[in-house]
Amino acid sequence: LLEFNHTGELLATGDKGGRVVIFQREQESKNQPHRRGEYNVYSTFQSHEPEFDYLKSLEIEEKINKIRWLPQQNAAYFLLSTNDKTVKLWKVSERDKRPEGYNLKDEDGRLRDPSMITMLRVPVLRPMDLMVEATPRRVFANAHTYHINSISVNSDYETYMSADDLRINLWNFEITNQSFNIVDIKPANMEELTEVITAAEFHPHHCNTFVYSSSKGTIRLCDMRASALCDRHSKFFEEPEDPSNRSFFSEIISSISDVKFSHSGRYIMTRDYLTVKVWDLNMENRPIETYQVHDYLRSKLCSLYENDCIFDKFECVWNGSDSVIMTGSYNNFFRMFDRNTKRDVTLEASRENSKPRAILKPRKVCVGGKRRKDEISVDSLDFSKKILHTAWHPSENIIAVAATNNLYIFQDKVN
């Protein structure tokens, strides 16, 4: 998974092995102005290790579920990363000087004989090769019974929330041993469980407002000013189902896998299995825009159910001006929808067709019948190659796309 920081200078990625790799954008050089935009590895560190819960005899995977940057306050960078159970706050900082000339130690770090020390030395800072250090500053553990699926930093920069299948907790960055439960949908009898929380996010400007989505295809907007426990939502967004589209798979494919506020805070975007929807916060009964991501899969739901692909959780992102949205698909395809012109494009992230500085060609999928030579038949799509995670630079047309084991970074050809 991928996350640009607030300036777009850094891009953090997390992997199945619990590692976080941060890429930094190259500074513009006088003799090669066009090279601006290359991202190089800046820092790599192990964020989570595999653990074992002996009480429940459960292995806890080290796989990173989400990464969120904190807005930068000083020279160091801070980010949150989480696996299924534990959220960690990391500080990433640069060091290019080291102190030399200690009183009680020699240059190799060995302790000196105190009887030999006859004068007071003042340590001095000497330049050294740049080192990027990642240190864990806080570990927020033991608050989730179920798997964490979302973390979101609040706009007050003092709190953040973490959501699992049935509960959402509010944390203060300074306090690791307790969190405040703000949503709890766990029924008294687990046999009555009908839905789970799938994603949650804070409003970008109002620190009291957040949304969470459910496996039933609904979105609830909550206001923490109304009550401490937000089990009663203030707004409830749901689109009534078209009876003509009803099928055995309706419930599964209506489950929302991602929810994102627009940068303006006026809209929310949700992704379900086949579509991306944009909702206006002032209109709860239906979305104002619906985009078909891969409608040609509607006839393939049976086989997608059998190979478990129907449970894949795709994410969606806005561009910096909220005018274009992007989300992933299969066969290493990803989709972009322009909200103003209503044009859309399918692009492919694969090694074969993405040499550096190559221009991406739009892809088309054909259903049945005759196939043009540049089209791909729906039957030859590779469902093992999927793009679940994408990220968009906060201000420029630079996108990052994670395909199975590769990270692709694309930018518009103006640069």
Side-chain angles (χ1 to χ4, degrees), residues 94-125:
E94 296 183 355
R95 227 176 54 193
D96 60 355
K97 294 185 177 62
R98 65 163 186 263
E100 273 182 15
Y102 288 103
N103 289 290
L104 304 177
K105 290 185 210 159
D106 61 21
E107 298 312 322
D108 299 326
R110 288 189 299 265
L111 284 174
R112 294 166 63 192
D113 177 4
S115 61
M116 303 294 290
I117 301 174
T118 55
M119 52 182 279
L120 183 67
R121 293 202 294 181
V122 178
V124 290
L125 287 173

Side-chain angles (χ1 to χ4, degrees), residues 76 106 174 207 281 288 292:
D106 61 21
E174 301 300 321
C207 61
L281 280 194
I288 53 167
Q292 301 296 335

Side-chain angles (χ1 to χ4, degrees), residues 69-303:
W69 290 94
L70 274 66
Q72 198 175 351
Q73 309 283 356
N74 52 26
Y77 303 99
F78 287 88
L79 60 92
L80 287 172
S81 66
T82 184
N83 67 348
D84 284 340
K85 297 287 179 201
T86 305
V87 184
K88 294 185 180 181
L89 174 68
W90 288 89
K91 177 185 182 182
V92 180
S93 52
E94 296 183 355
R95 227 176 54 193
D96 60 355
K97 294 185 177 62
R98 65 163 186 263
E100 273 182 15
Y102 288 103
N103 289 290
L104 304 177
K105 290 185 210 159
D106 61 21
E107 298 312 322
D108 299 326
R110 288 189 299 265
L111 284 174
R112 294 166 63 192
D113 177 4
S115 61
M116 303 294 290
I117 301 174
T118 55
M119 52 182 279
L120 183 67
R121 293 202 294 181
V122 178
V124 290
L125 287 173
R126 297 246 183 270
M128 59 178 250
D129 288 342
L130 179 69
M131 225 172 77
V132 181
E133 293 178 312
T135 45
R137 296 305 299 269
R138 305 266 188 282
V139 176
F140 304 91
N142 307 325
H144 286 278
T145 315
Y146 309 97
H147 292 344
I148 298 172
N149 56 44
S150 303
I151 45 178
S152 178
V153 178
N154 199 348
S155 58
D156 62 9
Y157 306 147
E158 288 178 20
T159 55
Y160 76 91
M161 69 177 167
S162 55
D164 67 24
D165 295 339
L166 299 179
R167 298 194 178 103
I168 300 177
N169 292 332
L170 182 69
W171 299 84
N172 186 301
F173 279 112
E174 301 300 321
I175 302 166
T176 58
N177 58 358
Q178 62 181 22
S179 61
F180 194 76
N181 180 230
I182 50 176
V183 171
D184 185 349
I185 65 165
K186 185 181 179 191
N189 176 5
M190 280 296 268
E191 285 174 10
E192 293 166 8
L193 182 68
T194 58
E195 64 179 331
V196 293
I197 298 167
T198 55
E201 192 180 52
F202 269 118
H203 189 284
H205 316 305
H206 303 313
C207 61
N208 52 285
T209 310
F210 65 93
V211 291
Y212 68 91
S213 58
S214 87
S215 55
K216 275 193 160 172
T218 62
I219 308 112
R220 291 173 175 84
L221 180 93
C222 302
D223 186 341
M224 291 190 286
R225 294 172 304 189
S227 80
L229 190 63
C230 298
D231 285 356
R232 296 178 55 186
H233 47 268
S234 15
K235 290 192 175 188
F236 182 77
F237 300 86
E238 182 180 29
E239 184 170 31
E241 195 194 6
D242 177 359
S244 64
N245 275 343
R246 179 109 193 111
S247 75
F248 169 75
F249 305 106
S250 293
E251 248 171 60
I252 304 174
I253 62 172
S254 66
S255 173
I256 291 173
S257 54
D258 195 17
V259 58
K260 291 266 174 42
F261 271 104
S262 63
H263 296 81
S264 67
R266 170 76 189 266
Y267 304 102
I268 31 182
M269 165 168 58
T270 58
R271 170 75 209 256
D272 56 40
Y273 191 64
L274 294 176
T275 66
V276 174
K277 294 173 178 167
V278 176
W279 305 75
D280 188 317
L281 280 194
N282 302 328
M283 191 165 95
E284 296 166 60
N285 59 343
R286 61 190 171 86
I288 53 167
E289 296 157 29
T290 300
Y291 300 99
Q292 301 296 335
V293 177
H294 36 217
D295 204 42
Y296 45 80
L297 296 184
R298 218 176 264 281
S299 58
K300 295 262 176 285
L301 293 176
C302 209
S303 53

